[in-house]
Amino acid sequence: MPEIDLNLLTALDALLAECSVTRAAQRLGLSTSAMSRTLTRLRHVTGDPLLVQAGRYMVPTPYAAKLAENVSQTVFSARTLLQPPGEAINLATTERSVVIRANEGFIDLCAAPLLQEIRQVAPNMQLLFASKSDKDVQALREGKIDLEIGVLGTNAPELKTRLLFSDRFVGICQKDHPLLQEPGITPERYIRFPHVVVSRKNKQWGPVDTALDVLGLRRKIVMSVPSYGCAINLIRHSDAIGLVPFTVLAWSDPCAEINYFELPVPTPPIKVSAIWHPRMHADPVHQWVRETIVKVSRSEFSRHTRAVLEKANVK
């Protein structure tokens, strides 16, 4: 039998999580050219492009999205074989509550498939989602929450993290908005209209403002709201412009009334991770919950990305 290079699985896991050759290379400590060659090998082995260009970004093919549902678990299982055996658990009879702090976007994205997975594998377990009013690390340290989902907002050195997926910000406006009537959305045209921002603490400065500031430009922010759902409803009924993560477009189903557009300035990716305290790292139930969340979130992110692109007729 021909030898199988299992390192390709690790590379595929990183590529499907990041949807970027550069970021996947950084994650594995490789050069961009080395990761690009690895992607070429993966395409040859699988007979599928795996990641294709969509504007300035790369998106997974349907085959790659299907692979993503299994590759992360396969990599985890392979690594587990090289570690000391842990305590055996019977998930079918395990009674346990796991407290997860996450925002509404993640809950809308993943709660339903997580519920289905738990009912099938661990019917006596509970996932208790707590509201994400802040990113205070003490809640993890003190055991008030078992797991946090979101962008790492602390430099606490002891915390463990696992990247779930990389999202990005896009602009939204009414379908017939004047901004869309002319080809090419420039920074100057972008700031010409009023803006609505989403912030739990009325924060009015973000990555897009930093990028605009470099150009000597500034948005006119007319309102701050606490959730993306509120922002979308406002955009539907006004001439204001909003800013949301790309995945929000799928669960909010706004495409019939509003359009999204790529921002005219670069912004860093939104790296959504699972974050936990080291004392829970070897706990077998916690491990299973983490891996289940990784599998479900990556699958749902890929599925929702395809759904939004299909709605917008992006090939």
Side-chain angles (χ1 to χ4, degrees):
M1 296 179 63
E3 291 187 3
I4 300 174
D5 186 356
L6 295 180
N7 287 321
L8 289 177
L9 278 177
T10 303
L12 180 60
D13 186 38
L15 284 163
L16 295 182
E18 297 285 356
C19 287
S20 164
V21 172
T22 300
R23 294 196 299 272
Q26 293 171 345
R27 177 175 172 179
L28 297 183
L30 300 174
S31 67
T32 301
S33 58
M35 182 56 74
S36 181
R37 291 193 296 270
T38 301
L39 176 57
T40 299
R41 289 183 61 196
L42 284 164
R43 285 168 169 167
H44 176 74
V45 169
T46 62
D48 187 89
L50 298 176
L51 293 174
V52 295
Q53 210 67 35
R56 293 183 298 166
Y57 300 92
M58 300 189 79
V59 296
T61 64
Y63 177 71
K66 184 177 180 181
L67 283 182
E69 299 177 13
N70 299 315
V71 68
S72 178
Q73 184 63 42
T74 301
V75 170
F76 174 76
S77 298
R79 288 172 177 160
T80 301
L81 290 176
L82 302 179
Q83 297 176 349
E87 177 187 355
I89 59 170
N90 183 353
L91 291 170
T93 59
T94 297
E95 296 185 10
R96 179 86 167 263
S97 295
V98 178
V99 181
I100 303 172
R101 185 165 67 183
N103 63 27
E104 63 173 11
F106 179 83
I107 296 172
D108 285 323
L109 183 71
C110 296
L114 279 174
L115 176 61
Q116 183 177 7
E117 188 79 14
I118 287 177
R119 295 303 300 159
Q120 291 177 350
V121 180
N124 296 318
M125 286 187 59
Q126 289 182 313
L127 291 189
L128 307 178
F129 282 103
S131 62
K132 195 176 179 70
S133 57
D134 56 50
K135 299 181 181 180
D136 182 15
V137 68
Q138 283 303 117
L140 284 169
R141 287 172 171 167
E142 297 172 3
K144 294 179 180 178
I145 60 174
D146 300 302
L147 191 65
E148 175 149 8
I149 306 296
V151 177
L152 186 62
T154 175
N155 58 359
E158 79 272 25
L159 294 185
K160 301 286 187 180
T161 65
R162 180 83 180 274
L163 182 68
L164 302 180
F165 54 85
S166 290
D167 207 346
R168 72 181 194 274
F169 282 116
V170 294
I172 58 172
C173 61
Q174 284 185 340
K175 195 170 184 179
D176 58 353
H177 196 283
L179 180 66
L180 306 178
Q181 303 308 309
E182 300 177 27
I185 298 175
T186 65
E188 291 76 13
R189 294 185 59 229
Y190 176 69
I191 66 167
R192 195 179 300 165
F193 302 94
H195 288 253
V196 171
V197 298
V198 177
S199 174
R200 291 186 297 271
K201 297 182 178 181
N202 292 324
K203 182 180 178 182
Q204 297 183 24
W205 189 272
V208 69
D209 301 289
T210 300
L212 287 169
D213 189 56
V214 173
L215 302 175
L217 302 174
R218 188 161 188 167
R219 296 186 295 171
K220 180 181 179 181
I221 296 173
V222 295
M223 187 171 291
S224 171
V225 294
S227 72
Y228 293 117
C230 291
I232 288 170
N233 284 330
L234 277 171
I235 299 305
R236 283 179 171 143
H237 301 99
S238 75
D239 65 343
I241 293 174
L243 189 71
V244 300
F246 184 74
T247 49
V248 170
L249 299 174
W251 57 256
S252 62
D253 192 25
C255 290
E257 300 174 17
I258 68 174
N259 275 3
Y260 83 89
F261 57 88
E262 301 297 342
L263 297 174
V265 291
T267 57
I270 308 169
K271 295 188 175 182
V272 180
S273 300
I275 308 163
W276 65 96
H277 194 272
R279 72 169 178 278
M280 304 301 297
H281 187 67
D283 180 85
V285 173
H286 200 276
Q287 286 181 338
W288 179 80
V289 171
R290 294 196 310 260
E291 290 306 315
T292 300
I293 286 176
V294 169
K295 178 182 70 173
V296 167
S297 62
R298 291 181 179 177
S299 172
E300 290 301 299
F301 176 75
S302 296
R303 185 173 69 84
H304 281 60
T305 297
R306 293 197 308 273
V308 174
L309 291 175
E310 288 169 2
K311 290 176 185 177
N313 295 317
V314 176
K315 304 298 183 184

